[in-house]
């Protein structure tokens, strides 16, 4: 699975959205309806799935699916 | 008011109020993880009582004031039962003394166990409750956290902190179907209050409208209500179980 696919699947599960709604340019909050708690849960799920640690100051900058994919690719 | 098949983690469950809560929740159908710090024999007795009721019990030894220990304990509860539906933050200690004479270590010890312990266990459990989209947390505060008490500045500060913590986490977790409430016991007959001089106990009792000390079961009954579905619409509250000391 590509990083995008993994991020998409986690996002679908956490936010209860359809897979085809999750695009690289989608923003978690505005496009996918996440609230601040959803973001925390997403970050924790990413950390678990990719076995990385995402510091708060990095996490704060994640707005879009692309931001998450690029960060996780870099951390891998 | 049944909680059939739920999994409860009760801290400080080997004695006193914690013991009564653990057994009460088991009576109502919950499997219980019994946390204790030092008294393994007492904790084993509580576990045996729970098993007699036909429920599962596991012993979880550890110091709630350690963030690492708390996380490991919660992970072990999840490993054992696969979930955690109910957290009762009950573990507490006292190091009484007038402020003028209170040592830094007396302050730290009480704040570490009674307040940081609540933070540690709640944070560790919340991760799983968030995923479950359900959970009940009850923090055992104290009448002293509301009224204050000469000789208990550390204990009162920790318990008042516990009430503020309860309200904040209730707001944070509400959207995930998790309720967080506090129970504030008054004078309850336990090992913790047994050490008080007879005269002090008499004086305290005379100031209680119901004119008697409460029993650990009185507190356990309130806790059971708050973790049951009957209290589904109640969150962020502090339920006083004190014979009317605070109104």
């Amino acid at each position: 699975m590509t990083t995008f696919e993994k991020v998409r699947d986690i996002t679908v599960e956490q936010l209860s959205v359809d897979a085809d709604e999750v695009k690289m340019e989608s923003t978690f909050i505005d496009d996918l309806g996440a609230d601040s708690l959803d973001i925390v849960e997403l970050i924790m799920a990413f950390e678990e799935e990719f076995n990385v640690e995402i510091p708060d100051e990095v996490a704060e900058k994640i707005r879009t699916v692309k931001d998450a994919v690029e960060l996780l690719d870099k951390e891998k | 008011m049944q909680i059939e098949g739920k999994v409860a983690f009760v801290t400080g469950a080997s004695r006193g109020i914690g013991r009564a809560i653990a057994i009460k929740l088991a009576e109502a159908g919950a499997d219980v993880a019994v946390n204790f710090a030092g008294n393994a024999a007492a904790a084993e007795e509580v576990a045996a009582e729970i098993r007699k009721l036909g429920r599962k019990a596991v012993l979880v030894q550890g110091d709630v004031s350690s963030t690492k220990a708390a996380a490991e304990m919660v992970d072990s509860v999840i490993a054992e039962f696969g979930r955690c539906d109910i957290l009762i933050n009950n573990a507490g200690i006292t190091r009484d003394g007038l402020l003028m004479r209170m040592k830094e270590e007396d302050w730290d010890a009480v704040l570490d166990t009674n307040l940081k312990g609540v933070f540690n266990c709640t944070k560790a459990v919340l991760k799983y409750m968030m995923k479950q989209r359900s959970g009940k947390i009850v923090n055992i505060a104290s009448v002293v956290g509301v009224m204050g008490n000469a000789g208990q500045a550390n204990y009162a500060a920790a318990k008042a902190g516990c009430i503020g913590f309860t309200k904040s986490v209730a707001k944070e977790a509400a959207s995930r179907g998790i309720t967080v409430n506090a129970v504030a016991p008054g004078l309850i007959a336990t090992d913790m209050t047994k050490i008080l001089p007879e005269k002090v106990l008499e004086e305290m009792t005379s100031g209680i409208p119901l004119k008697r000390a409460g029993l650990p079961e009185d507190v356990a009954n309130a806790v059971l209500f708050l973790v049951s579905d009957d209290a589904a619409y109640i969150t962020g509250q502090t339920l006083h179980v004190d014979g009317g000391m605070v109104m």
Side-chain angles (χ1 to χ4, degrees):
Chain A
M1 256 208 275
T2 65
T3 305
F4 169 73
E5 285 165 340
K6 284 186 188 168
V7 167
R8 181 194 61 200
D9 289 355
I10 291 169
T11 307
V12 165
E13 201 196 318
Q14 287 287 340
L15 303 180
S16 308
V17 291
D18 289 332
D20 51 14
E21 283 180 68
V22 184
K23 303 188 176 69
M24 275 298 256
E25 64 275 15
S26 309
T27 59
F28 288 109
I29 291 175
D30 293 329
D31 295 333
L32 302 172
D35 63 18
S36 59
L37 201 51
D38 289 321
I39 299 288
V40 172
E41 285 190 276
L42 273 171
I43 300 290
M44 287 172 72
F46 292 152
E47 287 179 330
E48 205 170 307
E49 172 70 30
F50 292 88
N51 201 19
V52 296
E53 231 176 87
I54 304 171
D56 286 348
E57 58 273 21
V58 177
E60 276 165 21
K61 295 198 183 98
I62 298 176
R63 285 183 54 254
T64 63
V65 173
K66 184 161 170 266
D67 293 339
V69 170
E70 282 176 356
L71 171 75
L72 292 164
D73 270 336
K74 204 169 67 186
E75 292 280 329
K76 250 192 322 201
Chain B
M1 206 148 49
Q2 296 299 297
I3 45 171
E4 203 71 45
K6 303 279 189 196
V7 174
F9 178 40
V10 183
T11 70
S14 64
R15 294 186 296 161
I17 292 173
R19 173 195 163 94
I21 292 169
I23 292 169
K24 177 68 68 181
L25 297 184
E27 277 171 7
D31 295 328
V32 185
V34 176
N35 161 258
F36 67 103
N39 197 338
E44 186 49 61
E45 233 177 78
V46 175
E49 289 270 336
I50 292 166
R51 292 186 191 114
K52 251 193 274 173
L53 294 163
R55 306 310 318 180
K56 290 194 196 103
V58 291
L59 294 185
V60 191
Q61 179 171 23
D63 180 354
V64 295
S65 71
S66 155
T67 304
K68 188 163 166 278
E72 285 170 0
M73 287 192 285
V74 169
D75 286 347
S76 78
V77 173
I78 300 292
E80 178 71 26
F81 293 112
R83 56 188 296 116
C84 185
D85 304 292
I86 296 165
L87 167 67
I88 312 297
N89 282 307
N90 167 77
I93 58 168
T94 53
R95 294 277 189 281
D96 296 353
L98 295 175
L99 185 68
M100 294 287 287
R101 306 282 295 167
M102 190 175 283
K103 295 192 183 72
E104 183 183 1
E105 48 269 36
D106 296 332
W107 174 269
D108 287 344
V110 168
L111 269 287
D112 281 353
T113 297
N114 298 14
L115 187 55
K116 191 180 173 192
V118 176
F119 160 76
N120 285 336
C121 294
T122 304
K123 189 179 168 193
V125 164
L126 207 52
K127 186 170 81 177
Y128 297 103
M129 288 184 172
M130 287 278 180
K131 275 191 197 149
Q132 290 168 196
R133 292 289 190 268
S134 70
K136 310 271 188 193
I137 299 172
V138 175
N139 300 320
I140 305 304
S142 168
V143 67
V144 164
V146 180
M147 290 173 76
N149 194 24
Q152 290 197 305
N154 49 2
Y155 190 78
K159 293 301 187 179
C162 177
I163 291 172
F165 178 87
T166 298
K167 293 176 187 178
S168 299
V169 182
K171 288 185 179 184
E172 286 187 22
S175 66
R176 299 300 187 268
I178 299 163
T179 66
V180 190
N181 290 289
V183 168
L187 178 64
I188 306 295
T190 64
D191 290 346
M192 197 187 267
T193 52
K194 215 164 58 186
I195 57 164
L196 294 170
E198 188 73 18
K199 196 162 158 277
V200 174
L201 281 176
E202 265 171 37
E203 251 171 51
M204 285 178 84
T205 310
S206 70
I208 300 170
L210 287 177
K211 295 291 176 216
R212 64 169 178 90
L215 297 172
E217 290 68 32
D218 292 319
V219 180
N221 287 335
V223 171
L224 173 58
F225 167 62
L226 288 172
V227 301
S228 75
D229 284 337
D230 289 352
Y233 198 55
I234 299 175
T235 195
Q237 302 304 307
T238 300
L239 180 50
H240 292 258
V241 181
D242 60 8
M245 279 167 96
V246 170
M247 293 189 189

